[in-house]
Amino acid sequence: MTTRTPDREPASAPSTASGPSTTPTPSAASGPDRPSDITAAVLDGSVLTPGTPARTAVFEAVAADPDGPVTQELLALTGNMGPAVRRTALTLLGELTYGRTPWPAPVEAAAARLHDPDPDVRRAAARLLVRTGATDRARTALGELTDPGTRIALADALLGTPDAALPPGTLRTDPLPEIRLLGALEELATAPRERWPELDARILAEVTALTAHDADRGYPIGARWGRALHRQDREQDCYTTVTRLLAGDAGAYGRRVGVQLAHRAFQEWRAAPDTLTPHLVRLLPSAPPDLRTLIVHALCASRTTTRRSADALAALLPDLTTAPAADPSHPAADPTAALAWHIAYALATIDDPRAAPYVHALLTAGARPHGMLAALRGLLRAEAADPDQLAAYASNLLRPEDPSGSRSEDRSENRDALSLSLALGILDALDPAAAAPCVPDLLAALRTACEAAEARGATLASWPELSLVGTLGRIGPPAATALPLLTTLTRDSRRRPGHGALALARITGDRAPVETYLRTRPWEGRRPTADHSALFAWLLDHGGLDAEQSAQLRDAVLRRRGAMQVRGSLVLWRNEGPPVAAELLAVLPDHLDDDLYGPVAMTTLAAMGPHARPALPHLRALIDRRTRLPLCVGSADADLRADERLLEAAERTVAALTDPTDPTDDGGAP
């Protein structure tokens, strides 16, 4: 995850691609220690973007030689005359310290920047000083410096470092209320029960005395408070505190902290949306803009809170009859448009059709904000999207020109990859008949991808080839014009086993390509994660499986863990029926709390009907949790939504397994 100092000016877009690219990295082109490459990436900020060639080269070079020329170049850039460059260099050095033993090389540069004229540079330097292991110097600086922002950053970093030897209690008499507050919150996280009332009162008093908090530039105070309460399992106390703060008991800043604390509660406890959403919704109409933004982000973080506040959120969407939809892709330039998209995305992903006008206005304007595909899928489920419009939009994305019809000079390979991903995602969500008009553009894009792979001398199929072939196959017979090219493709890939054979079978209706592939596939010693479930499912739907194929399916599902075990379980159930129930029940419950495989496993259990009832205790244990599942999807809000999806899937599965109207003799099996 990229670290970014809040409120700094945004870095300009990187000049090179940041995704699937053939652009040589600095290390490949001229060595990772080439100063001009590193300097350019720091100057334009692209070195902080995950996946960029320069960033990858820097990390590889520093891992190989922590005190080498790349490190020296970065240290020199911490003294650059541009504050944005100094911040970028210090931030990157801080990211390079993760997972590293104490790293003395950046210590002097970090210490020197504690006196920088730019406040954000000083804060970045304070964090870097602690991360390098120089905790003694950081503690000394905390006692000697007078700049509030720098001291707060030092205290924050020291409190978050287990071996920093800075007991939180030593901060009780600090002259800065922000530091006293940080110390009290850290104490609360581990305090015995008898000290809770004292610390609660002290924290509330410090929050009440503040009108703003410099520490909110990092980890918000409300989130810290929620973390401490969660560690002590004080769920009801958290709800009571949120209610008091939102009611204004701690002033205007206290309300802000209350919203942050409610947001954190949503991430930690499943009952929080039901308890706290009404309080946030009541505050929304009268909240000033900054607070309203925080409330919206909290309500949109959870699928449950979005549903419960959908009317209030929909009322905040702009009136498109008076103004066109603005592109939300650059939130720093247009925060109003970014907030409107945040609302539209949240509503669309819970299948609320009121988001449709705004989402379609963005499509018409050519905007592609992050999350557009998920929003469009939600609107398709709600039958609030025009399939013909989406197919036309996907065709424009597939063509080498921009939707405007002219080639953009700044169009990069990364942008092309994102466009292709969005186009194929849209087409895969459409009915094959609706996607059929895009076949010529898909075929042209596949030829281009093949030519590029040939020029590179690739022996395995690239991601564009795999995805385009898969989409053509899903369209089926209307994609018959692609057969001449598909039959000449020789590159295969372990990422999607048999993708070409499956596409040919889907288009022609001929079993031979899939049967040949499965017959010639070496099964012994294969990686356990290879997923052939789609091939077996297609054969099962088009004539059934013979004895050899049935044995292969059984072996792949029951003997090897991985994607095939979960995704192939439904095919195995459909093929063998109740006799295989006990064997499936021995493996499927292990996957129920997995955000990727859990819903797939539950689909199989629901299809098994009464035969899957022995799995009910596992499902009910997942449903009965008070706290969120410990997932790791990418962010705290993503983890929250993944937990909600698993909970929804588990509740649907339990309902299916306990429905008295379901047949009990065969569970729907053949």
Side-chain angles (χ1 to χ4, degrees):
M1 183 178 293
T2 301
T3 301
R4 179 187 175 98
T5 304
D7 299 329
R8 82 177 196 186
E9 65 269 25
S12 59
S15 58
T16 58
S18 61
S21 173
T22 58
T23 304
T25 65
S27 57
S30 54
D33 59 341
R34 183 179 175 184
S36 59
D37 294 329
I38 298 168
T39 300
V42 174
L43 290 176
D44 66 14
S46 64
V47 76
L48 297 182
T49 302
T52 53
R55 180 179 174 88
T56 300
V58 166
F59 271 77
E60 290 175 349
V62 174
D65 187 358
D67 299 325
V70 169
T71 298
Q72 298 307 314
E73 179 67 18
L74 293 175
L75 294 176
L77 289 169
T78 64
N80 188 281
M81 68 170 53
V85 177
R86 298 197 297 274
R87 290 197 297 269
T88 299
L90 290 166
T91 299
L92 179 60
L93 286 166
E95 293 176 343
L96 287 164
T97 62
Y98 284 116
R100 190 182 301 279
T101 55
W103 189 23
V107 170
E108 297 304 326
R113 291 299 107 198
L114 292 176
H115 306 279
D116 195 277
D118 183 85
D120 284 333
V121 172
R122 296 196 296 270
R123 280 184 280 267
R127 290 189 290 270
L128 175 59
L129 187 65
V130 176
R131 288 176 179 173
T132 58
T135 53
D136 289 340
R137 296 185 67 168
R139 288 194 300 271
T140 300
L142 178 63
E144 295 177 350
L145 296 178
T146 58
D147 174 61
T150 309
R151 294 191 69 244
I152 291 169
L154 283 167
D156 185 17
L158 286 167
L159 287 170
T161 303
D163 57 351
L166 180 67
T170 62
L171 303 179
R172 293 176 189 169
T173 59
D174 195 277
L176 283 177
E178 293 92 341
I179 291 182
R180 296 197 301 269
L181 177 57
L182 290 176
L185 289 168
E186 197 67 24
E187 279 190 90
L188 180 65
T190 56
R193 180 182 295 271
E194 58 268 19
R195 291 202 58 211
W196 291 354
E198 167 212 340
L199 290 169
D200 288 345
R202 190 198 311 171
I203 292 169
L204 186 62
E206 296 291 3
V207 169
T208 304
L210 292 174
T211 56
H213 192 356
D214 203 31
D216 275 340
R217 289 176 174 271
Y219 197 50
I221 287 299
R224 296 168 189 267
W225 202 344
R227 179 180 61 183
L229 292 172
H230 178 257
R231 286 184 63 178
Q232 300 282 24
D233 196 23
R234 298 177 60 189
E235 182 178 2
Q236 295 304 320
D237 289 343
C238 180
Y239 299 161
T240 301
T241 302
V242 170
T243 303
R244 292 184 60 185
L245 293 172
L246 295 182
D249 288 7
Y253 179 71
R255 278 201 174 96
R256 181 181 182 88
V257 173
V259 176
Q260 297 167 349
L261 181 53
H263 192 160
R264 181 60 186 244
F266 296 156
Q267 296 168 349
E268 302 290 4
W269 290 291
R270 287 178 169 175
D274 288 336
T275 305
L276 301 179
T277 299
H279 298 283
L280 292 174
V281 172
R282 279 196 296 270
L283 190 58
L284 193 57
S286 60
D290 288 348
L291 185 61
R292 181 181 302 165
T293 297
L294 276 183
I295 295 172
V296 166
H297 278 270
L299 293 174
C300 292
S302 156
R303 292 165 58 83
T304 306
T305 54
T306 301
R307 289 192 186 99
R308 297 188 182 281
S309 59
D311 292 341
L313 291 171
L316 296 177
L317 285 174
D319 183 1
L320 299 178
T321 61
T322 59
D327 188 348
S329 301
H330 305 288
D334 194 343
T336 302
L339 186 65
W341 168 246
H342 202 71
I343 295 170
Y345 169 82
L347 292 173
T349 51
I350 62 165
D351 308 348
D352 192 318
R354 287 175 289 188
Y358 189 79
V359 174
H360 284 290
L362 291 176
L363 284 180
T364 302
R368 304 178 203 172
H370 178 72
M372 176 62 82
L373 178 57
L376 291 173
R377 285 174 173 163
L379 295 180
L380 283 169
R381 289 191 299 268
E383 299 183 351
D386 181 353
D388 292 336
Q389 181 191 13
L390 294 185
Y393 180 72
S395 284
N396 282 333
L397 292 175
L398 289 169
R399 293 166 187 160
E401 297 83 14
D402 280 338
S404 62
S406 60
R407 183 80 177 186
S408 296
E409 294 181 0
D410 65 346
R411 190 175 177 89
S412 65
E413 288 190 26
N414 183 54
R415 182 174 173 83
D416 288 338
L418 292 175
S419 298
L420 178 61
S421 178
L422 178 56
L424 297 183
I426 290 172
L427 294 178
D428 290 344
L430 293 176
D431 181 89
C438 299
V439 168
D441 293 309
L442 287 167
L443 191 53
L446 179 57
R447 289 196 182 97
T448 300
C450 290
E451 290 169 1
E454 293 289 353
R456 294 194 305 270
T459 57
L460 294 178
S462 63
W463 170 81
E465 290 176 90
L466 288 169
S467 302
L468 287 160
V469 169
T471 300
L472 285 166
R474 276 184 285 274
I475 292 174
T481 54
L483 288 174
L485 178 57
L486 292 178
T487 54
T488 61
L489 294 179
T490 57
R491 283 186 300 278
D492 201 354
S493 171
R494 289 184 294 273
R495 290 182 58 195
R496 289 192 188 173
H499 68 287
L502 182 59
L504 289 171
R506 283 172 165 168
I507 294 172
T508 63
D510 184 3
R511 292 169 55 99
V514 173
E515 290 180 327
T516 301
Y517 176 87
L518 292 177
R519 187 172 57 254
T520 59
R521 187 76 168 174
W523 290 88
E524 292 300 325
R526 297 298 304 168
R527 286 188 173 186
T529 54
D531 180 15
H532 293 83
S533 57
L535 283 77
F536 287 106
W538 191 89
L539 288 176
L540 188 62
D541 291 334
H542 295 79
L545 304 180
D546 61 26
E548 180 183 359
Q549 293 158 357
S550 296
Q552 287 176 332
L553 174 62
R554 164 175 278 272
D555 178 76
V557 172
L558 298 178
R559 286 186 52 191
R560 300 180 177 90
R561 291 185 63 84
M564 181 62 186
Q565 182 173 86
V566 185
R567 295 188 174 128
S569 61
L570 180 58
V571 189
L572 183 60
W573 167 256
R574 292 178 55 220
N575 188 53
E576 297 191 17
V580 79
E583 292 170 286
L584 290 176
L585 289 173
V587 296
L588 291 179
D590 293 341
H591 300 283
L592 296 181
D593 59 355
D594 185 284
D595 63 281
L596 183 62
Y597 294 148
V600 183
M602 293 181 208
T603 299
T604 300
L605 292 174
M608 291 169 65
H611 299 282
R613 284 177 181 166
L616 283 172
H618 301 280
L619 291 162
R620 286 176 172 142
L622 188 151
I623 293 171
D624 292 342
R625 288 180 59 98
R626 286 193 305 111
T627 57
R628 301 290 181 187
L629 287 164
L631 303 174
C632 188
V633 180
S635 70
D637 285 344
D639 295 346
L640 160 60
R641 290 188 287 270
D643 174 83
E644 290 177 320
R645 290 189 182 93
L646 280 171
L647 177 59
E648 293 165 7
E651 290 172 339
R652 289 193 302 268
T653 305
V654 168
L657 299 186
T658 56
D659 184 354
T661 63
D662 278 353
T664 58
D665 54 342
D666 63 0

